[in-house]
Amino acid sequence: RRAALPLWGGSVASRRDAVHYLSARARVGRAWRTLESFVDRDVRSSLNGPASERDEAFLSETIRPWSLPRDLLASLRVHDGEWRRCHGRGMVAGGARLLAAREMAEGTRRWRQGSMLASACDCSEYYAEASGVLKVPLFSETGARQIAVELTVREDKDDNDNCESGSVHGRIVVVSASAPYAVHYRVEASCWERFLTLI
């Protein structure tokens, strides 16, 4: 392996990360193709193309020091949410619309600021940093509930996205839109890739 480093460039760890990402990209791409084959034509036509690098960078900067799971990042590179005008005809029961990367970042900022106000602390990341968990909205609000991804700061990046690991990082949860850091209503799936198969 070490002999191949000059040929492939980068460290063993960066190449391993690339392999994990490409594997997630292939699995998520298959999940999207399957999903697109049976959803309503109106929903299929409402899906955006891939996220721009600028929007991905904006989302990554907003959630730092947390990171997106590879399967969710790969998904953004397939479809960056749904059009804003398709509200009420979204992918999920109840008409929730899949958010674009920029909308996820803006929703995360609002939620973090809301947790600051609720805690009466002058630190906008109070609850998220105190608990080590960040919740990022994935779908538009339906009623008082919203679907989000729960992120944890991970020491071991190799196990960052394993749906089988049983970790909290990357699991899809239903939260109260007005109090997203309160206890969530339920866990929908252990990861985004699995959630795509439930829609």
Side-chain angles (χ1 to χ4, degrees):
R1 281 196 236 195
R2 296 197 188 286
L5 275 175
L7 193 64
W8 287 78
S11 67
V12 172
S14 64
R15 287 197 332 262
R16 183 179 20 207
D17 190 48
V19 167
H20 288 300
Y21 168 75
L22 291 173
S23 174
R25 171 71 191 241
R27 291 189 315 270
V28 167
R30 278 191 302 272
W32 269 115
R33 284 189 298 279
T34 301
L35 182 61
E36 289 168 0
S37 71
F38 70 83
V39 296
D40 182 271
R41 186 172 54 107
D42 289 337
V43 172
R44 197 171 41 250
S45 66
S46 73
L47 293 168
N48 293 328
S52 69
E53 288 182 25
R54 173 183 272 164
D55 288 346
E56 279 183 33
F58 180 63
L59 177 57
S60 294
E61 185 62 35
T62 300
I63 66 169
R64 188 162 285 138
W66 293 270
S67 62
L68 288 177
R70 289 183 194 103
D71 58 348
L72 183 55
L73 183 60
S75 185
L76 287 171
R77 292 177 181 170
V78 175
H79 290 297
D80 185 26
E82 292 178 88
W83 293 356
R84 288 182 188 244
R85 286 177 270 174
C86 76
H87 191 67
R89 294 186 331 233
M91 292 177 49
V92 180
R97 181 179 59 81
L98 180 63
L99 299 177
R102 187 159 287 277
E103 293 173 300
M104 290 178 197
E106 291 163 358
T108 302
R109 284 184 172 174
R110 274 193 312 276
W111 282 0
R112 290 170 90 175
Q113 289 169 350
S115 72
M116 174 207 57
L117 295 173
S119 66
C121 173
D122 59 359
C123 170
S124 66
E125 293 137 20
Y126 171 76
Y127 187 85
E129 289 184 1
S131 68
V133 174
L134 181 69
K135 294 179 183 172
V136 177
L138 297 175
F139 286 87
S140 61
E141 184 179 333
T142 53
R145 298 181 180 189
Q146 200 160 0
I147 297 172
V149 62
E150 204 170 51
L151 305 177
T152 57
V153 177
R154 300 290 304 249
E155 301 288 324
D156 180 12
K157 299 281 188 208
D158 286 341
D159 193 30
N160 188 21
D161 309 311
N162 187 353
C163 284
E164 307 296 331
S165 70
S167 85
V168 172
H169 184 77
R171 71 183 180 178
I172 310 303
V173 296
V174 178
V175 299
S176 166
S178 60
Y181 287 102
V183 177
H184 54 263
Y185 292 115
R186 68 180 171 273
V187 175
E188 289 288 331
S190 58
C191 64
W192 177 249
E193 178 186 347
R194 291 236 172 106
F195 183 78
L196 282 176
T197 65
L198 299 175
I199 295 177

